[in-house]
Amino acid sequence: AAGVIQSPRHLIKEKRETATLKCYPIPRHDTVYWYQQGPGQDPQFLISFYEKMQSDKGSIPDRFSAQQFSDYHSELNMSSLELGDSALYFCASSSGSSTRTSGNTIYFGEGSWLTVV
Amino acid sequence: EDKVVQSPLSLVVHEGDTVTLNCSYEVTNFRSLLWYKQEKKAPTFLFMLTSSGIEKKSGRLSSILDKKELFSILNITATQTGDSAVYLCAVEIQGAQKLVFGQGTRLTINP
């Protein structure tokens, strides 16, 4: 069965550069979530989208932006990268409105590892 | 192949009961185990466990890891209807920088 696909799996960038991570949800899933987990840190929810609209916002820095496209894939854009942005970024997808239906099964990708040097 | 298995897949109890959710894993290179709660919005993080035998506690929730037997449990005491959610377990793989998730346990608390 198709899973959540994230790309690239690994990325190395220099400080002040820009990075873009992509997330392809499971087919027919319309909700995408982004998380950030720094080394030895708790995962942090960044942002989520439902039907191409932002549905929830967490601790996403102003330097970051994200969107969900018409084919439901999502991209996380990170600018002016800092060393502290080095982390595992993973996205997840589910189907149905996350605000209408409780407990929809959510599927996670394997994550994209960003290293800022 | 890295694998995380949760049980039960579904559980229905009455308010006030105590529940135990299980998570077992078989992975190549364990780094940490994480528990999440998913309600109507994005999953919220509950616990991260890295050391065996050390209980982590947050209110009525607690969790412990057994790295010898390769499992973790999540306990919820004096359950409330607000505990109804899907509880997800994930294992972080050292070196591969990836998370492997279980199927989730759907917990329903009836008043």
Side-chain angles (χ1 to χ4, degrees):
Chain A
V4 177
I5 306 298
Q6 291 188 242
S7 69
R9 289 292 322 283
H10 301 272
L11 187 62
I12 299 175
K13 289 285 185 178
E14 294 188 353
K15 283 192 302 183
R16 292 179 290 278
E17 283 193 317
T18 297
T20 297
L21 305 181
K22 298 184 179 182
C23 173
Y24 296 87
I26 288 174
R28 291 180 293 280
H29 279 193
D30 48 22
T31 304
V32 170
Y33 313 84
W34 283 98
Y35 287 79
Q36 175 196 57
Q37 184 181 8
Q41 297 178 3
D42 297 343
Q44 298 291 323
F45 169 67
L46 295 179
I47 196 167
S48 63
F49 293 89
Y50 166 67
E51 281 292 345
K52 294 153 278 184
M53 300 280 288
Q54 181 182 309
S55 59
D56 197 12
K57 190 172 182 179
S59 53
I60 185 169
D62 292 340
R63 297 177 290 107
F64 292 9
S65 65
Q67 58 180 324
Q68 186 178 31
F69 294 85
S70 57
D71 64 350
Y72 295 104
H73 94 272
S74 178
E75 294 184 6
L76 177 66
N77 297 297
M78 299 172 282
S79 61
S80 302
L81 287 170
E82 302 173 355
L83 295 178
D85 296 329
S86 294
L88 178 67
Y89 293 84
F90 54 99
C91 82
S93 75
S94 66
S95 66
S97 167
S98 61
T99 59
R100 284 191 286 109
T101 308
S102 66
N104 277 349
T105 302
I106 185 168
Y107 299 86
F108 287 77
E110 293 190 333
S112 293
W113 183 257
L114 171 67
T115 302
V116 181
V117 297
Chain B
E1 179 188 350
D2 298 322
K3 188 169 61 173
V4 176
V5 178
Q6 291 185 243
S7 65
L9 293 181
S10 181
L11 183 60
V12 180
V13 299
H14 290 291
E15 206 168 18
D17 287 354
T18 293
V19 297
T20 298
L21 309 183
N22 303 290
C23 176
S24 63
Y25 61 91
E26 292 179 29
V27 300
T28 50
N29 202 354
F30 176 92
R31 178 172 182 171
S32 65
L33 185 145
L34 305 99
W35 283 97
Y36 295 84
K37 176 184 180 182
Q38 189 205 355
E39 296 172 276
K40 296 182 180 180
K41 300 199 292 184
T44 54
F45 169 71
L46 296 176
F47 298 108
M48 176 186 285
L49 305 160
T50 55
S51 301
S52 210
I54 298 175
E55 184 182 67
K56 289 208 171 181
K57 199 171 172 64
S58 176
R60 296 175 294 102
L61 276 67
S62 64
S63 184
I64 197 163
L65 174 67
D66 186 327
K67 292 170 76 173
K68 182 179 177 184
E69 300 297 329
L70 308 182
F71 78 91
S72 173
I73 60 172
L74 175 68
N75 278 320
I76 308 175
T77 59
T79 53
Q80 303 170 358
T81 55
D83 295 328
S84 295
V86 173
Y87 289 84
L88 293 161
C89 169
V91 173
E92 186 180 10
I93 309 300
Q94 179 86 27
Q97 282 95 34
K98 70 174 184 178
L99 288 164
V100 179
F101 285 83
Q103 323 93 301
T105 293
R106 184 179 297 272
L107 176 64
T108 302
I109 310 296
N110 289 326

